[in-house]
Amino acid sequence: MLNWGRKAALHARVPAGKLLDRSARFSSGSKLFVGGLSHDTNEVALKDAFSQHGDVIQVKVICHPVTGQSKGYGFVKFSSEKDAAAALEKMSDEVLDGKNIRVHFANSG
């Protein structure tokens, strides 16, 4: 039998400041979400496209765990927020591998 009351009481003891600090760590102004990717776009192609606008330090195309096929979105992390902002401005609504891509700051909403 689960004791839901005890679990709720434990969460109630966490100071609000701690919760805010934790959520702040997850949002990053240097990481971009890229949607609308072609299923043929791989991490190398994504990095090549975004590297023209700043120092890319990490790229991840999200793939189906069984088939390995791209799910049509990924993430690009830059070494600075300035580079990410420049890439966001220049790459939004651009065509990559025949598809119009959407670019947003990751974890922004």
Side-chain angles (χ1 to χ4, degrees), residues 31-95:
K31 188 174 184 179
L32 300 177
F33 166 85
V34 184
L37 294 176
S38 164
H39 292 293
D40 297 325
T41 302
N42 60 27
E43 291 175 354
V44 174
L46 192 58
K47 183 175 182 177
D48 287 348
F50 279 81
S51 290
Q52 300 172 37
H53 307 293
D55 182 27
V56 174
I57 58 173
Q58 185 180 24
V59 175
K60 181 71 178 166
V61 172
I62 306 303
C63 296
H64 187 277
V66 175
T67 66
Q69 183 178 27
S70 168
K71 289 187 171 187
Y73 69 96
F75 299 91
V76 179
K77 184 168 179 137
F78 288 85
S79 62
S80 74
E81 291 181 15
K82 181 182 172 187
D83 286 352
L88 172 69
E89 183 180 326
K90 297 207 167 56
M91 293 298 292
S92 290
D93 299 317
E94 285 294 311
V95 176

